[in-house]
Amino acid sequence: MVATGAGGSGLAVQWLLKRNCSITPQELGVVYASLCALSCLIAGFFFWQGAPYVAAFAGIELAAVGLAMLIFARHAGDRETLTLVDDSLLVERCIASRTECTLMVAQWLRVEPAAGQGSLIQLSGSGRTLHVGRFVRPEWRAAFAQELRQALRQAPVRRDPENDSN
C-alpha cells in the first residue's frame, strides 16, 4: 500500500498487486539467445560429425522453448492496481496486452470473498462486479480485503449536489 498526495484533491491510497516473477522479459530474452547460441554450437558440431538430425531436433526444441518463454514473458507484467482517491476507487487490471480500468464509488462498494476462504476478492457496487487479488497469496487475501474495507470506510462521503441545501 502506498499513500501519496493527489494534486489538490487530498490523499490517495494505492495497492499494486503484481505477479511475482524472478526474471524480467528482457533478461529472459538474453537467456533464450544464449540458449540458442549454445544449442546451435552443439548442433553444428554434430552436423559436422555427420549427424544432421541433431540440428533438426535442436531447431524443434528451440522453437518449443521459445514459445513457452514468449507466453511466460507476455504475462510477466500482469498486475492489478487499486487507487483510492477521495470517494472513488479506480481498479486497473493489466493482463497480457489488455488493460481494463473501472471507476467505482467508494461509499457504495462491497468487499467480500467471491466464494469462500482464500478465494478472489469480489468488489461489487453500482451494478458492477469485479474480482481482484489474483496475485495475492490465498492465505493473505482476507487480510487484504480487511485493509481495503477499512480504507473505503475512511473515504469521504460523496455528496449529491441536487440535495445540498447550501
Side-chain angles (χ1 to χ4, degrees):
M1 175 176 75
V2 177
T4 60
S9 64
L11 195 65
V13 181
Q14 184 175 65
W15 295 269
L16 177 62
L17 312 173
K18 61 183 185 174
R19 190 177 295 276
N20 186 12
C21 293
S22 59
I23 189 168
T24 66
Q26 292 81 13
E27 293 169 338
L28 194 60
V30 170
V31 168
Y32 181 65
S34 62
L35 179 65
C36 286
L38 181 64
S39 288
C40 287
L41 192 69
I42 293 170
F45 171 77
F46 280 102
F47 185 80
W48 184 64
Q49 294 294 322
Y53 295 115
V54 172
F57 178 73
I60 293 169
E61 177 188 25
L62 288 174
V65 169
L67 180 64
M69 287 183 168
L70 181 66
I71 292 169
F72 173 82
R74 183 174 178 185
H75 290 283
D78 289 359
R79 69 183 184 283
E80 297 172 334
T81 307
L82 287 78
T83 307
L84 179 62
V85 180
D86 293 333
D87 62 350
S88 299
L89 180 70
L90 175 66
V91 179
E92 180 182 21
R93 295 189 299 180
C94 299
I95 307 294
S97 60
R98 195 180 73 217
T99 301
E100 288 179 15
C101 291
T102 306
L103 188 64
M104 302 178 100
V105 179
Q107 74 185 36
W108 300 328
L109 203 54
R110 284 193 339 230
V111 180
E112 52 197 22
Q117 186 68 14
S119 67
L120 292 179
I121 299 161
Q122 180 174 308
L123 304 176
S124 55
S126 303
R128 288 186 251 169
T129 301
L130 292 175
H131 293 94
V132 297
R134 284 170 183 74
F135 310 118
V136 176
R137 292 177 54 173
E139 60 269 19
W140 294 350
R141 288 179 183 156
F144 171 66
Q146 185 60 35
E147 182 180 333
L148 183 58
R149 273 188 215 102
Q150 184 177 5
L152 290 170
R153 270 187 247 128
Q154 294 173 355
V157 176
R158 180 175 281 194
R159 302 180 79 158
D160 188 2
E162 294 176 8
N163 293 334
D164 274 351
S165 57
N166 291 349

